[in-house]
Amino acid sequence: METAKATLLHYVVDARSSRFTVQAFAAGMLSAMGHNPKIGIRTFAGTVDFSAESAQASGFRLSVKSNSLGVLDDVSDKDRRDIEKMMNEQVLEPTKYPDIVYDAPSVSITHIESALFSAALTGTLSFHGVTRNQAISARIAVFDEMLRASGEFTLNQSDYGIKPISVAGGALKVKDELKFSFEMVVRRQN
């Protein structure tokens, strides 16, 4: 007996209603004097095809403009400018690598209860000129014309050819591992 293929509905990320951040962590002898900057990702766009009825999804794609990252912490304007300048010049290099892209053609959906699902995304992250496999898990809540997906994942900067920022002769530096957190709102398109 052949099962009918579910109709997947097309959804588009609503960046204005979404939150996407990255947390860096200080290390080194002076790390107690440094802080762990939280960076907001401001410009991103994405799409996914999803069916709550059949608990299926495919084709999640998210692209981020690398020059759109900015410090969220309550720091002085000078510190904010210094951190963002260092981040752009030494880490992101947006003129050379303007886009960060996550592409997950395979998305495994599990129905948890009522309108709640979990998703396991198997995809690739293209960042700083390097493309690597990156698995991401998310919790999904389904509303009428909208989905809300949330989760977190980590990555090491060195895996993408980035040397973590170091100042004061290495006495204060950023750890290799970065923690990303997201709460994405995606809206159904007709």
Side-chain angles (χ1 to χ4, degrees):
M1 183 167 136
E2 190 175 311
T3 59
K5 183 164 170 107
T7 301
L8 298 178
L9 303 172
H10 189 66
Y11 291 83
V12 174
V13 172
D14 179 350
R16 289 173 46 129
S17 300
S18 299
R19 179 188 54 80
F20 194 11
T21 61
V22 58
Q23 181 83 53
F25 301 95
M29 289 182 355
L30 299 177
S31 62
M33 294 172 49
H35 76 286
N36 301 320
K38 186 178 242 182
I39 309 297
I41 302 170
R42 298 181 188 126
T43 305
F44 54 93
T47 60
V48 67
D49 295 326
F50 179 83
S51 168
E53 185 179 309
S54 63
Q56 290 181 317
S58 72
F60 178 74
R61 182 175 173 83
L62 185 74
S63 83
V64 172
K65 289 296 180 190
S66 62
N67 65 356
S68 75
L69 281 68
V71 176
L72 295 175
D73 300 324
D74 187 18
V75 296
S76 71
D77 288 342
K78 181 193 179 309
D79 285 349
R80 181 181 317 281
R81 282 191 306 272
D82 290 348
I83 293 168
E84 290 177 357
K85 181 179 181 193
M86 212 179 313
M87 181 176 61
N88 280 306
E89 290 177 0
Q90 297 179 31
V91 178
L92 298 171
E93 301 179 86
T95 54
K96 193 173 181 182
Y97 309 108
D99 297 304
I100 302 165
V101 177
Y102 183 69
D103 191 15
S106 174
V107 181
S108 175
I109 301 293
T110 303
H111 185 231
I112 298 171
E113 64 182 46
S114 184
L116 299 176
F117 297 81
S118 67
L121 292 83
T122 304
T124 57
L125 177 63
S126 298
F127 177 39
H128 202 256
V130 176
T131 299
R132 296 180 54 94
N133 291 332
Q134 178 71 48
I136 297 176
S137 296
R139 295 168 303 283
I140 300 171
V142 177
F143 301 94
D144 290 331
E145 302 285 317
M146 177 185 88
L147 308 174
R148 184 176 296 272
S150 59
E152 51 190 43
F153 64 96
T154 60
L155 64 80
N156 290 327
Q157 297 175 77
S158 59
D159 289 343
Y160 292 88
I162 298 169
K163 183 179 179 194
I165 292 174
S166 177
V167 295
L172 181 60
K173 56 188 174 182
V174 173
K175 288 183 180 179
D176 192 19
E177 184 179 80
L178 300 174
K179 179 181 172 184
F180 292 78
S181 300
F182 60 89
E183 187 166 320
M184 298 280 174
V185 171
V186 293
R187 299 191 188 280
R188 189 168 133 191
Q189 300 297 298
N190 296 323

